[in-house]
């Protein structure tokens, strides 16, 4: 019983600390996590020619009209993405190292040049400084699912705000971010080194993982289960499981792994069934 009382006391003290200290507490907690993670977080920048083997490439459109929000916020997002991409592009994840998104991007403040983009606040889309960076973590996470790298921290989106029109990936196959509490962290537990390439074009955010060794496997990402439940009058929750099949060099499936489980409150009426989603195979 004393152990339960002590655990409850620690939880209460942590809750009080969060309320009183706010951002300073969250920053200190993240700094502590970085020191205690047990992996090397200091990633060097590598030359493109040293990592000649393409593992996964992907791009996503940056301009998207959102009802009730000025298009300028989308253009501001492009500025935000350029700022966030700069410290990440070219970073090399060597065996035993870990990539932390916020370790390199740092706090996206107006003082550092970030503009008002679109942020999701308690299920509502609104303007916010640094908005739009989730598109970058979404891209990195999706690409990483097509590599043997290990995702050690990923946060799911709590709300589903976009309809399935033109969806080509499984629902909730991305990763949200919020400085500094919600980070994306990826660890290299392989014998190869991987270089992250990122660029911001006029219309698309482009990324790639490349390696110093030829890839031996590729991956098929798929949705294993999907359900929409009516949990209360007018309240719908969408749940799914995303998995990946590991395909060996001979084309034979060697494993079927859990990638993530998701649930999100829907911010629109589910009048239509979700659109069919194609399996995704990593480009090699």
């Amino acid at each position: 019983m004393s152990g339960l009382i002590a655990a409850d006391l620690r939880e209460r003290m942590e809750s009080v600390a969060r309320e009183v200290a706010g951002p300073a507490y969250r920053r200190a907690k993240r700094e502590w996590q970085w020191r205690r993670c047990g992996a090397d977080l200091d990633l060097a920048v590598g030359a493109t020619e040293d990592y000649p083997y393409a593992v996964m490439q992907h791009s996503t459109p940056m301009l998207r009209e959102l009802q009730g929000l000025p298009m300028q916020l989308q253009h501001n997002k492009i500025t935000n993405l350029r700022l966030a991409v700069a410290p990440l592009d070219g970073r090399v994840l060597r065996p035993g190292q870990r990539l932390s998104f916020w370790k390199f991007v740092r706090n996206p403040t107006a003082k550092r040049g970030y503009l008002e983009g679109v942020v999701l606040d308690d299920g509502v889309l609104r303007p916010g400084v640094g908005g739009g960076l989730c598109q970058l973590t979404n891209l990195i996470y999706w690409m990483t699912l097509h590599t043997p790298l290990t995702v050690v921290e990923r946060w799911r989106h709590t709300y589903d705000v976009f309809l399935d029109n033109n969806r080509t990936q499984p629902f909730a196959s991305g990763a949200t971010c919020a400085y500094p509490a919600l980070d994306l962290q990826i660890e290299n537990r392989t014998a190869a080194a991987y270089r992250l390439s990122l660029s911001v074009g006029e219309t698309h955010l482009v990324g790639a993982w490349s390696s110093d060794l030829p890839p031996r496997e590729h991956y098929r990402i798929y949705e294993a289960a999907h359900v929409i439940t009516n949990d209360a009058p007018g309240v719908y929750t969408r749940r799914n499981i995303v998995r990946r099949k590991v395909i060996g060099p001979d084309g034979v499936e060697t494993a079927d792994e859990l990638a993530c489980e998701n649930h999100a409150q829907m911010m629109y009426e589910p009048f239509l069934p979700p659109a069919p989603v194609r399996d995704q195979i990593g480009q090699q």
Side-chain angles (χ1 to χ4, degrees), residues 33-222:
Q33 186 269 327
W34 283 332
R35 288 196 297 268
R36 300 276 295 182
C37 74
D40 181 7
L41 298 170
D42 189 16
L43 310 186
V45 174
T48 305
E49 57 269 22
D50 294 335
Y51 304 88
Y53 300 102
V55 180
M56 174 59 180
Q57 302 166 341
H58 193 60
S59 66
T60 55
M62 294 182 294
L63 298 174
R64 182 176 191 174
E65 291 190 19
L66 299 175
Q67 186 175 5
L69 292 172
M71 197 63 188
Q72 184 58 46
L73 296 177
Q74 296 291 312
H75 293 285
N76 289 353
K77 178 183 71 173
I78 295 178
T79 296
N80 295 342
L81 288 171
R82 290 188 193 281
L83 290 171
V85 158
L88 286 169
D89 179 39
R91 295 290 173 178
V92 175
L93 193 54
R94 300 189 181 281
Q97 291 189 312
R98 180 182 296 193
L99 169 67
S100 165
F101 179 80
W102 287 126
K103 185 87 165 54
F104 288 100
V105 175
R106 300 186 293 126
N107 195 357
T109 62
K111 185 176 181 180
R112 297 184 55 230
Y114 284 89
L115 305 177
E116 277 200 335
V118 179
V119 299
L120 182 60
D121 182 12
D122 200 24
V124 178
L125 295 172
R126 64 167 180 80
V129 173
L133 295 189
C134 282
Q135 182 170 352
L136 182 52
T137 50
N138 285 341
L139 176 75
I140 295 172
Y141 177 72
W142 176 248
M143 293 194 305
T144 302
L145 289 181
H146 295 81
T147 76
L149 298 171
T150 302
V151 178
V152 293
E153 180 176 339
R154 172 259 183 185
W155 297 84
R156 64 174 177 261
H157 294 270
T158 308
Y159 296 94
D160 176 21
V161 296
F162 299 117
L163 296 171
D164 278 356
N165 298 343
N166 302 316
R167 184 187 294 277
T168 59
Q169 298 172 200
F171 161 70
S173 55
T176 190
C177 64
Y179 181 85
L182 309 185
D183 198 7
L184 174 63
Q185 296 190 12
I186 301 159
E187 196 165 290
N188 186 356
R189 299 174 181 174
T190 77
Y194 291 82
R195 182 182 186 274
L196 178 62
S197 172
L198 297 166
S199 63
V200 178
E202 292 187 6
T203 60
H204 282 70
L205 175 66
V206 181
W209 280 112
S210 58
S211 180
D212 60 347
L213 297 177
R216 293 181 52 81
E217 300 167 323
H218 64 273
Y219 303 83
R220 186 186 299 274
I221 312 302
Y222 69 101

